[in-house]
Amino acid sequence: MPQHAMGDKHFLSLPKHLFTSTSSTTDSGCDTPPSSRASPASLRSAHGALGSSSQPLFEPQVEKRSSQAAREVQYLSSGPQSTLCGWQSFTPKCLQVFNTPKGFLFFLCAASFLQGMTVNGFINTVITSIERRFDLHSYQSGLIASSYDIAACLCLTFVSYFGGNGHKPRWLGWGALVLGIGSLVFALPHFTAGRYEVEIDDEGLGTETGTCLTNQSQVECKDRASGLSSYRLIFMLGQLLHGVGATPLYTLGVTYLDENVKSSYSPIYIAIFYTAAILGPAAGYLIGGAMLNVYTEVGQRTELTTDSPLWVGAWWIGFLGAGIAAFLIAIPILGYPRQLPGSQRYVVMRAAETQQLKDHSRDNPAFGKTVRDLPLSVWILLRNPTFILLCLAGATEATLIAGMSTFGPKFFEAQFSLSASEAATLFGYLVVPAGGGGTLLGGFLVNKFKLRGSGIIRFCLFCTLTSLLAFFVFLMHCPNVHMAGVTTGYVGSLLPKGQLDLKAACNALYCCQPRHYSPLCGSDGTMYYSPCYAGCPEGAVTGPGGQKVYRGCSCILEKASSGWGNATAGKCASTCQSKPLLLVLVFVVIIFTFLSSIPALTATLRCVCDRQRSFALGIQWIVVRTLGSIPGPIAFGWVIDKACLLWQDQCGHQGSCFVYKNEAMSRYLLIAGLTFKVLGFLFFVAAYFLYKSPSVSSDGLEASLPSQSSASDSPTEQLQSNV
């Protein structure tokens, strides 16, 4: 049996008299399954030694019986300090009720929920507001988003290798503290950049007339060079701290759960953990979207509305609250012991489900303790084709998840003609049941059908194929709302294909400038770039719904009266007939994508050596982030930019995109999505055929071990085994 570090000691070796053979190792792999050499009775005796959460005291007692004479070995245990919950010497009895796998799972779920809400929820929701507030370009905001994964990649090898052999709860607790510091740093620019002040113009003809002077536009460009873009370095620092703090969560946290629960229950625990991580971004979209409806300068009155392109919501509130919450979550996690009481009993079952590999670590119980063993550990994993293929399959799925989570709200905003807040809220409503439900259901199905090894990979194949077929939803699209000079001509005229022309005879007498994008919807159902380009006079009245209404716009003709029409500030509503079907199929894509996440993770844990699990997850996360999470948003952003019809002009430089061509956006997303889905399917197929079944049946082993109910977590438990 392998000797793992538990507390300050190793696992106690099994007494030699428990086995009929004197050989302790074979050439079959990392760990030698004892069931191949011992009877069920001897296994139960071995389980009694390993199941104790403390140092067993061996007291042989010899009794004479009528049927046979046998030696009865009684294993007594006393509760050691190393398995108690608390901080240093402060371990009150009231805290021990939380010293269980379920108790640790609760706090770990809280940490993963907070991390997902902050990094994958708040960041994606407020990124456009940060661009507007601090004069950032798209590539700069993309670099901010990628800083998280860059930091994670740099830390994963160190954390997973040394943390896997160290005190995992302490690594997790300190990681939560660093995560909280990162959130506070990310919110810092709001308090140091000064107040957000904008000049509000009633953008009718009167205010735009006479503004054609070139020197005036040059002066305006000089005034806009405020230097706020340098705050991107603060945002990058906050994201780097987020990445460092979250690194232990999905490597050490997963292996700590797997080590401390029964192997058949492990997928359920991990699924609950990942479900919390999926619900976090969903909550981030909902809370972040609600915060964007609050003006960034809380308590200050403004004439801006949420529909105005100059509006900046209170993006910073979520990060401030997340930073405080992270400190509160870190305190109980730091109090957990290196190993939960009663966890040693599960090492035999885990070893039987592990695919056995030939490596040099089986004869060295101290393997993996020093950095000198790092190259050999990497080489052992590289020789495992199933592990490599599962990593590549995870990278393809991560590319889609990262790309869609970043630009999903933007896709809804363009297709359904929504505001940024409405699109983020709708996407959050979709991700909550699909992502969270799919993750939890995946772990439940693995446990329900008792899937092992190749069966888990077959399940991943089914999920990937289903989501691949559902991805054809992007063959559908919602038609663009008619926009004068962009998607259609003025006053019913035809617009040459591929050309943009905001000027027309109805506004040619006035000097309209495309500096401020202020869309409004005309009474003719056509959207206009600004009140000036719609030919609206200066001044607006407040309508019944509280929106600005412009009257007598020369570019808007009323068909009934043949007179000039009116316009309302804001985008025109979408009349997309296929919206319900589009949302349903996008839901199917999300749920089947997340349905395979926990089974794929379980397959990874079962195809590597027991002592390499934390390190294997670290290497997998490096592959997933390097090939998936980091390039994913960049690739999808580049694809979506190809569908842009109208770009913002920032003093001669190309800014963000105002209007997208919906048909092209759907087509490009279809091509990108199918490419990664097909690659993921092929990787799972190859992993299925190359997977080597374990040499020992785990079901037979579990039958020979005491049941879960009979294995109490009480440190004063007495276990008796007959030899």
Side-chain angles (χ1 to χ4, degrees):
M1 295 297 296
Q3 299 182 1
H4 296 257
M6 305 291 291
D8 296 329
K9 301 177 178 60
H10 299 292
F11 273 125
L12 292 172
S13 302
L14 297 181
K16 293 183 179 180
H17 65 269
L18 293 178
F19 299 97
T20 57
S21 174
T22 58
S23 177
S24 61
T25 61
T26 66
D27 292 335
S28 62
C30 310
D31 304 306
T32 305
S35 59
S36 62
R37 297 172 178 251
S39 64
S42 65
L43 266 179
R44 284 192 292 269
S45 178
H47 177 72
L50 288 174
S52 174
S53 61
S54 61
Q55 303 176 14
L57 304 176
F58 297 95
E59 298 181 1
Q61 299 175 354
V62 181
E63 296 182 0
K64 295 182 179 180
R65 298 182 181 179
S66 58
S67 58
Q68 67 178 46
R71 251 187 334 181
E72 186 179 85
V73 181
Q74 185 179 29
Y75 298 96
L76 303 177
S77 61
S78 58
Q81 191 76 8
S82 60
T83 59
L84 295 179
C85 184
W87 302 272
Q88 298 298 330
S89 60
F90 181 70
T91 56
K93 292 183 179 180
C94 60
L95 293 180
Q96 307 315 312
V97 68
F98 301 103
N99 197 19
T100 63
K102 292 181 180 179
F104 183 80
L105 177 65
F106 173 79
F107 293 110
L108 197 64
C109 286
S112 65
F113 179 88
L114 185 65
Q115 180 272 338
M117 182 176 66
T118 304
V119 177
N120 301 321
F122 289 155
I123 297 292
N124 297 334
T125 303
V126 308
I127 197 71
T128 54
S129 299
I130 292 176
E131 288 178 3
R132 187 177 301 126
R133 172 67 179 90
F134 296 95
D135 298 333
L136 300 179
H137 297 291
S138 298
Y139 76 91
Q140 292 173 331
S141 60
L143 186 58
I144 291 173
S146 298
S147 298
Y148 169 83
D149 294 296
I150 293 173
C153 284
L154 295 176
C155 297
L156 270 169
T157 302
F158 173 81
V159 171
S160 61
Y161 186 75
F162 292 101
N165 295 300
H167 197 297
K168 294 184 180 67
R170 289 180 184 173
W171 283 80
L172 290 165
W174 284 108
L177 290 176
V178 175
L179 183 71
I181 295 174
S183 296
L184 297 179
V185 170
F186 202 93
L188 186 62
H190 169 76
F191 301 97
T192 59
R195 288 185 173 272
Y196 176 63
E197 298 178 356
V198 293
E199 295 182 2
I200 304 173
D201 294 328
D202 193 9
E203 296 173 344
L205 296 179
T207 58
E208 298 253 0
T209 305
T211 59
C212 294
L213 299 176
T214 57
N215 59 347
Q216 183 170 348
S217 62
Q218 292 175 357
V219 171
E220 181 178 332
C221 287
K222 290 181 180 178
D223 292 339
R224 291 184 60 184
S226 59
L228 290 175
S229 61
S230 59
Y231 277 98
R232 69 184 184 275
L233 301 177
I234 304 297
F235 291 125
M236 290 175 62
L237 176 60
Q239 278 286 74
L240 289 172
L241 292 174
H242 282 155
V244 173
T247 298
L249 202 57
Y250 299 101
T251 53
L252 305 183
V254 171
T255 53
Y256 190 80
L257 285 176
D258 190 64
E259 291 169 358
N260 288 278
V261 298
K262 190 177 180 180
S263 59
S264 60
Y265 294 162
S266 177
I268 294 293
Y269 277 78
I270 297 176
I272 295 174
F273 168 62
Y274 270 85
T275 299
I278 298 302
L279 294 179
Y285 283 115
L286 299 179
I287 298 175
M291 290 297 101
L292 291 182
N293 290 324
V294 180
Y295 189 56
T296 184
E297 302 296 342
V298 178
Q300 178 179 329
R301 298 187 61 181
T302 178
E303 297 182 15
L304 290 174
T305 64
T306 55
D307 295 323
S308 173
L310 300 177
W311 174 270
V312 175
W315 59 270
W316 52 274
I317 295 180
F319 296 98
L320 197 62
I324 298 173
F327 283 98
L328 298 178
I329 294 173
I331 295 174
I333 294 179
L334 286 170
Y336 274 89
R338 184 188 294 261
Q339 205 82 12
L340 294 178
S343 62
Q344 295 182 6
R345 63 172 63 93
Y346 305 123
V347 68
V348 179
M349 289 184 288
R350 291 201 311 270
E353 291 186 27
T354 302
Q355 177 180 332
Q356 305 303 320
L357 302 173
K358 295 181 179 180
D359 66 88
H360 301 288
S361 67
R362 63 180 184 269
D363 297 324
N364 184 9
F367 180 80
K369 301 295 183 182
T370 64
V371 72
R372 290 178 298 177
D373 298 327
L374 181 60
L376 181 56
S377 297
V378 175
W379 175 243
I380 293 171
L381 293 177
L382 293 178
R383 291 167 53 199
N384 189 337
T386 305
F387 171 75
I388 297 299
L389 290 168
L390 290 175
C391 289
L392 295 176
T396 59
E397 295 295 304
T399 304
L400 290 174
I401 293 174
M404 292 303 296
S405 63
T406 303
F407 297 104
K410 178 172 285 190
F411 175 79
F412 285 173
E413 182 179 349
Q415 295 288 327
F416 307 140
S417 188
L418 302 174
S419 66
S421 176
E422 293 171 337
T425 303
L426 177 60
F427 192 73
Y429 283 138
L430 203 64
V431 170
V432 169
T439 303
L440 185 61
L441 183 61
F444 172 78
L445 292 177
V446 170
N447 179 71
K448 176 69 175 178
F449 297 104
K450 300 187 183 302
L451 299 179
R452 296 292 185 268
S454 60
I456 296 178
I457 300 178
R458 280 200 307 269
F459 180 79
C460 294
L461 279 172
F462 167 75
C463 296
T464 305
L465 181 61
T466 304
S467 60
L468 188 154
L469 296 177
F471 225 91
F472 283 99
V473 62
F474 291 105
L475 287 174
M476 298 188 304
H477 68 278
C478 293
N480 278 91
V481 175
H482 292 302
M483 185 172 183
V486 180
T487 61
T488 186
Y490 281 87
V491 199
S493 62
L494 296 178
L495 184 68
K497 186 176 181 180
Q499 296 185 13
L500 301 176
D501 190 6
L502 294 175
K503 295 182 180 180
C506 59
N507 59 32
L509 297 177
Y510 307 98
C511 188
C512 300
Q513 297 291 328
R515 296 191 307 269
H516 297 138
Y517 175 61
S518 180
L520 67 161
C521 184
S523 56
D524 57 352
T526 301
M527 193 165 66
Y528 295 86
Y529 187 91
S530 69
C532 180
Y533 282 107
C536 301
E538 180 182 3
V541 297
T542 303
Q547 294 178 313
K548 290 183 178 181
V549 177
Y550 298 86
R551 304 187 184 278
C553 302
S554 59
C555 292
I556 304 175
L557 297 181
E558 292 286 355
K559 295 182 180 179
S561 61
S562 298
W564 290 352
N566 304 327
T568 305
K571 298 179 181 179
C572 292
S574 174
T575 58
C576 182
Q577 301 295 328
S578 59
K579 179 179 178 180
L581 181 60
L582 189 64
L583 290 176
V584 169
L585 292 180
V586 169
F587 180 88
V588 173
V589 171
I590 296 175
I591 193 172
F592 276 95
T593 297
F594 284 94
L595 194 63
S596 62
S597 59
I598 297 303
L601 179 64
T602 305
T604 302
L605 291 173
R606 297 296 176 262
C607 75
V608 297
C609 299
D610 184 72
R611 74 188 67 181
Q612 278 198 305
R613 290 185 177 187
S614 295
F615 184 60
L617 287 183
I619 296 297
Q620 185 179 54
W621 273 106
I622 291 177
V623 175
V624 167
R625 293 179 187 278
T626 303
L627 302 181
S629 300
I630 294 177
I634 299 174
F636 273 80
W638 179 80
V639 165
I640 289 178
D641 282 343
K642 291 294 182 181
C644 184
L645 283 175
L646 182 63
W647 290 95
Q648 180 185 17
D649 183 11
Q650 294 182 335
C651 297
H653 298 283
Q654 193 178 80
S656 59
C657 183
F658 283 148
V659 180
Y660 291 94
K661 188 176 181 180
N662 290 348
E663 180 183 3
M665 177 184 284
S666 294
R667 184 171 65 251
Y668 293 149
L669 287 178
L670 174 66
I671 295 173
L674 288 181
T675 300
F676 291 110
K677 279 293 180 182
V678 170
L679 286 175
F681 181 79
L682 294 177
F683 287 138
F684 277 126
V685 169
Y688 172 74
F689 286 105
L690 293 177
Y691 179 81
K692 297 180 182 179
S693 299
S695 58
V696 180
S697 172
S698 60
D699 295 335
L701 179 63
E702 291 185 16
S704 66
L705 293 175
S707 63
Q708 174 83 358
S709 60
S710 65
S712 171
D713 289 335
S714 173
T716 60
E717 179 186 36
Q718 294 186 359
L719 299 176
Q720 293 186 349
S721 301
N722 296 329
V723 180

